[in-house]
Amino acid sequence: MHTQLDDREALFDTEPPGLASRLVGLRPYQPGTTPYEHPEEPPFVVFAGDRGRGKTAVLHALREAYRGHTPTALLDGEERQFAAPPPDRPDAAWSPVVQALTTAAEQLAGPVKGAGRIGFPRLSCGLLAVAAGGWSDRDAPRLRQEAERVLLLGGGESWLPGFTGRWAGKVGSRLVASAGGTGAVVEPVIEAALEAFTEGVSTAHRRLRGAASWYGDYPNADGSPKLALILLSRHFRAGGHGRRHAERHLVRALLADLDDAYAGVVQRSHRRGRPVLLIDNVQEPAGLGLLEPVLRDRADGIRDQAVFFAGLRGRTHPALRNAGRLDLPETARTTGWRPGPSPSSRALLVSLPAGAGHTPA
């Protein structure tokens, strides 16, 4: 069970259901379901306050409450992994948001009672295109290892050795056939991947084919998955607005993959509640890079069913200027939250009472 209820009943209560139960659709620490307060679109809940208010402790308690019952991930925007790329990764193919998406997907794919592992084929295709932007024709020996790391998120491991072997061979052939020594290998990598997806007959191959096609509506791609992924890689490498545009599509890909895991009668019968993403220190680049695209897409009518709880150092942020505001005790029975037209109105700032994160001795 959770710790010290007296400061957190509004969040963790089960009868009547508290805020977490009503948004996730599951009672904390148990498989019992709860009706959704916001069935069409949950608010992006941000716990706001200065240091010592217990934001981190509350997020960790939420992870323990739902991990193993529904897909759950916890990120901290201040972690070192989001500060800079690893030594073997160039800046052109890395960002705090890409690292956050990869980390979140790995956790969300963890085991859940009564349900299969979630795959992220859309996200895998996008991350492969981004990674290719950092490779050159001199990196051929490590292409296979890098691709396996990304494509593991697509779901399933048994198909990978054969796939990556064929894919690496196709990339090599295209490099030899090209002018050679020109550096970037984005187009050969994407061409080879799409061809290898088409040749495979496993479930994973079919999912990746569909995932690549999903990118067809990327701006100026004219329905072409190949052109879409090349453009996404190009925009990411450009930095600035172009990178933010590409990252928004990658965030959307993660959420679309999550929605797929709940699609259909059979899937819904095995999965109860909504997936939970927890982001501590959301004011940092890794956190804002997830928060802002989600709020913008929801304001634009692009729906998802993920439940976000975040921790914000301070009491406000420019990205949250029109967010709803409540103290935690005021959320005990209902939030009364209604989104407006602006992206930031899709969020709900919740102030924690002093001591909300304390645990009993």
Side-chain angles (χ1 to χ4, degrees):
M1 292 297 289
H2 58 86
T3 56
Q4 195 169 346
L5 293 177
D6 55 320
D7 286 322
R8 300 186 292 186
E9 302 97 329
L11 182 60
F12 287 104
D13 262 359
T14 57
E15 195 58 49
L19 178 62
S21 295
R22 300 194 313 271
L23 296 187
V24 180
L26 287 176
R27 298 180 181 185
Y29 304 94
Q30 54 184 277
T33 59
T34 298
Y36 295 124
E37 178 181 349
H38 300 285
E40 297 299 321
E41 177 191 335
F44 195 119
V45 176
V46 179
F47 299 118
D50 301 326
R51 288 183 182 272
R53 285 284 173 171
K55 301 181 294 293
T56 296
V58 165
L59 293 174
H60 279 263
L62 283 164
R63 179 180 63 177
E64 294 308 308
Y66 288 111
R67 185 165 54 180
H69 298 289
T70 193
T72 305
L74 171 61
L75 314 176
D76 184 344
E78 287 192 335
E79 284 185 359
R80 189 173 180 178
Q81 64 170 319
F82 304 124
D88 61 345
R89 187 67 53 79
D91 289 343
W94 184 91
S95 74
V97 177
V98 161
Q99 186 66 29
L101 289 168
T102 304
T103 304
E106 289 170 347
Q107 294 184 36
L108 290 164
V112 173
K113 293 178 181 177
R117 178 182 184 272
I118 290 181
F120 294 88
R122 293 175 180 83
L123 181 62
S124 292
C125 288
L127 292 179
L128 181 64
V130 167
W135 295 332
S136 73
D137 51 7
R138 296 182 299 277
D139 295 321
R142 68 185 183 92
L143 293 185
R144 177 171 176 168
Q145 181 181 358
E146 291 272 356
E148 286 190 357
R149 180 186 61 83
V150 171
L151 292 170
L152 268 175
L153 297 175
E157 299 183 19
S158 61
W159 66 284
L160 264 177
F163 168 81
T164 52
R166 293 193 303 274
W167 173 79
K170 293 176 186 301
V171 171
S173 298
R174 283 170 170 75
L175 289 175
V176 170
S178 68
T182 57
V185 297
V186 174
E187 189 163 337
V189 165
I190 291 172
E191 285 180 342
L194 294 176
E195 185 177 334
F197 294 163
T198 302
E199 291 176 352
V201 297
S202 71
T203 300
H205 285 88
R206 291 195 297 272
R207 287 174 178 168
L208 286 163
R209 283 198 294 274
S213 298
W214 178 83
Y215 284 91
D217 63 355
Y218 194 86
N220 300 316
D222 297 325
S224 166
K226 172 188 167 182
L227 180 56
L229 292 168
I230 291 172
L231 287 171
L232 185 145
S233 181
R234 184 181 301 165
H235 291 154
F236 188 91
R237 294 196 309 278
H241 177 74
R243 176 166 291 189
R244 290 191 295 273
H245 178 75
E247 288 174 340
R248 181 178 180 181
H249 274 76
L250 293 174
V251 174
R252 191 181 299 169
L254 173 84
L255 296 177
D257 284 332
L258 279 176
D259 281 351
D260 255 11
Y262 289 79
V265 175
V266 175
Q267 292 278 48
R268 286 195 298 271
S269 68
H270 290 287
R271 297 192 182 277
R272 299 180 178 182
R274 288 163 162 157
V276 179
L277 287 92
L278 309 162
I279 309 170
D280 203 2
N281 289 300
V282 75
Q283 75 278 351
E284 299 298 328
L288 289 176
L290 299 182
L291 178 145
E292 292 178 328
V294 172
L295 297 184
R296 287 199 300 270
D297 272 4
R298 289 180 176 181
D300 288 345
I302 301 173
R303 297 283 179 82
D304 69 86
Q305 286 293 302
V307 175
F308 287 87
F309 292 102
L312 172 71
R313 184 176 302 156
R315 301 190 177 277
T316 189
H317 189 278
L320 299 166
R321 60 174 57 90
N322 295 316
R325 292 178 177 271
L326 292 172
D327 291 330
L328 181 60
E330 296 177 294
T331 69
R333 300 295 175 261
T334 181
T335 63
W337 173 81
R338 294 292 182 273
S342 68
S344 60
S345 72
R346 262 49 199 185
L348 177 64
L349 276 169
V350 177
S351 297
L352 297 179
H358 292 176
T359 57

